[in-house]
Amino acid sequence: MEDGKLTVRAVERALDIMLCFTGATELTLTEIASRVDLHKSTVHRLLASLEGKGFIMRDAATDKYRLGYRLWELSANLSKEGDPGIILLPEMERLRDQLGETISLYVQDGLLRVRIQAVQSNQAIRRVAPVGARMPLYVGASSKVLVAFAEPALHEKLLASADWPTGLDQQAFLQQLSDTKLAGFATSVEEREPGAAAVSAPVLDRGGRLVAALAVSGPANRLTLEVMQEQAPLIMEAARRMGTMLR
């Protein structure tokens, strides 16, 4: 039993190392060890195993690690059927061409939201939205949408989370959720990062179940509250069309 626990722990640690690369292309051994909070000798052994299986590559010139080609082999066999990130991409591109800003699609994963698809703005000054980025559910336009249109149990779990920021008023947050549900969309201005703004609407399937949050984001000096209010009907209509495309 003890050997089994050690094996599972090794798997969890290896997966934690892989997840370090969701926000970075290359990392040193020291950087990885710091992110997973493990001794460098332990991380080095795990990296050697991952490298041996092709999941991690090491650049001998820089002594940095990056994701290996084996992941491409696995991703080639991902099922595209029913994947909203694939199905809704053409509509996202159309909305980007219509509004000129970056378009993202988010889904809830526990107490986080994950960007599963993005179409970058073609403007010189734009907000870059990396696919796979994970963000907390208590801040941002898409977070408000994902929580407002979710089951009440998620509200309770989020408010009771140990990660809830001490300076964030829960009653004000609940009021934002109520306003979002009533309006059918949410906005945010510099809530998560300085200089950025976003407006988001829910994508509901034909049964009325929440699938994802569709978001338009860009510089706050371009996406003012007035502009976002004007664009909201277009975004909600795009989200409605997307919902009809999903089974």
Side-chain angles (χ1 to χ4, degrees):
M1 184 64 180
E2 189 64 28
D3 288 343
K5 288 182 178 179
L6 289 174
T7 302
V8 171
R9 174 180 279 188
V11 172
E12 290 177 343
R13 287 175 168 177
L15 291 173
D16 286 339
I17 288 174
M18 299 291 293
L19 290 172
C20 288
F21 293 92
T22 57
T25 303
E26 293 183 327
L27 292 168
T28 64
L29 173 62
T30 300
E31 289 170 334
I32 296 171
S34 176
R35 293 189 181 203
V36 298
D37 195 24
L38 291 173
H39 196 277
K40 286 199 290 186
S41 61
T42 301
V43 174
H44 186 268
R45 288 195 300 270
L46 291 168
L47 284 168
S49 296
L50 290 168
E51 187 177 2
K53 291 293 185 180
F55 291 102
I56 290 288
M57 298 172 59
R58 186 178 72 87
D59 188 327
T62 63
D63 204 24
K64 289 186 176 182
Y65 294 87
R66 64 168 66 96
L67 293 176
Y69 295 125
R70 184 58 59 88
L71 289 174
W72 291 102
E73 296 177 32
L74 292 177
S75 65
N77 293 313
L78 280 172
S79 174
K80 304 299 189 292
E81 184 177 355
D83 183 347
I86 300 299
I87 297 172
L88 304 181
L89 182 58
E91 281 294 325
M92 294 175 66
E93 291 174 336
R94 184 164 81 166
L95 186 62
R96 185 272 313 275
D97 294 341
Q98 185 178 18
L99 300 181
E101 301 292 354
T102 294
I103 312 298
S104 299
L105 197 66
Y106 294 92
V107 297
Q108 174 215 340
D109 183 16
L111 297 182
L112 298 172
R113 58 181 163 113
V114 183
R115 185 182 291 117
I116 62 169
Q117 187 61 277
V119 180
Q120 309 296 343
S121 168
N122 291 325
Q123 301 201 49
I125 300 176
R126 62 183 182 273
R127 184 168 181 270
V128 177
V131 173
R134 303 169 71 85
M135 289 150 275
L137 275 178
Y138 47 74
V139 64
S142 296
S143 291
K144 296 173 194 175
V145 165
L146 289 172
V147 179
F149 288 86
E151 296 295 325
L154 178 62
H155 304 190
E156 299 169 8
K157 190 173 181 181
L158 184 61
L159 294 175
S161 170
D163 294 327
W164 183 271
T166 55
L168 188 59
D169 185 86
Q170 293 193 346
Q171 289 304 314
F173 181 75
L174 290 173
Q175 184 59 55
Q176 289 180 336
L177 298 183
S178 178
D179 294 343
T180 297
K181 194 76 178 287
L182 182 63
F185 69 96
T187 61
S188 65
V189 178
E190 298 187 316
E191 288 186 10
R192 197 180 63 82
E193 59 181 283
V199 54
S200 178
V203 177
L204 308 175
D205 67 14
R206 296 178 185 180
R209 294 177 294 270
L210 177 67
V211 176
L214 174 67
V216 177
S217 60
N221 62 354
R222 199 162 64 217
L223 271 185
T224 63
L225 278 175
E226 182 180 2
V227 169
M228 289 191 288
Q229 291 282 347
E230 293 174 353
Q231 292 181 350
L234 298 175
I235 298 166
M236 288 191 289
E237 175 57 25
R240 186 198 64 76
R241 285 197 306 270
M242 291 178 180
T244 63
M245 299 168 64
L246 300 172
R247 290 187 297 179

